[in-house]
Amino acid sequence: MLENCILLSLFAKENLSHMSEQQLNLYDRLINEPSNDWDIYYWATEAKPTPAELESEVMAMLREFAKNKKKEQRLRQPDLEYLWEA
């Protein structure tokens, strides 16, 4: 779904490069285990509580990111060029 694509891709751009291997594994589990994309969105926006088995520091980071305290415009996914930046 578009909302998750935008949220997760912008979160990834901002965070993946400095995450530990354990955090990357937690992120991978978070984005691949739930069978319903809406669940991830609801957990990130705190519309529903995160299940205990998926609660982690990465989920807390995603919830904080979803709050968008800097009031950034988040209207589209980032270009993928950032993946090849030094």
Side-chain angles (χ1 to χ4, degrees), residues 16-85:
L16 292 187
S17 65
H18 60 266
M19 290 173 109
S20 69
E21 184 175 346
Q22 179 185 8
Q23 289 172 322
L24 291 171
N25 288 334
L26 290 168
Y27 181 72
D28 181 68
R29 182 176 179 215
L30 174 66
I31 64 173
N32 287 306
E33 244 182 58
S35 60
N36 184 344
D37 283 346
W38 279 107
D39 287 337
I40 298 170
Y41 183 79
Y42 291 144
W43 303 331
T45 59
E46 300 182 85
K48 290 184 178 179
T50 304
E53 64 272 11
L54 291 173
E55 185 58 58
S56 69
E57 64 183 297
V58 172
M59 188 66 233
M61 291 167 60
L62 181 59
R63 279 194 302 267
E64 192 62 27
F65 183 80
K67 292 176 184 176
N68 194 14
K69 290 182 179 179
K70 297 177 187 175
K71 305 292 184 211
E72 300 168 317
Q73 281 195 340
R74 296 178 177 172
L75 303 175
R76 64 183 199 86
Q77 293 177 263
D79 295 328
L80 297 179
E81 284 80 16
Y82 80 91
L83 294 172
W84 294 277
E85 292 175 357

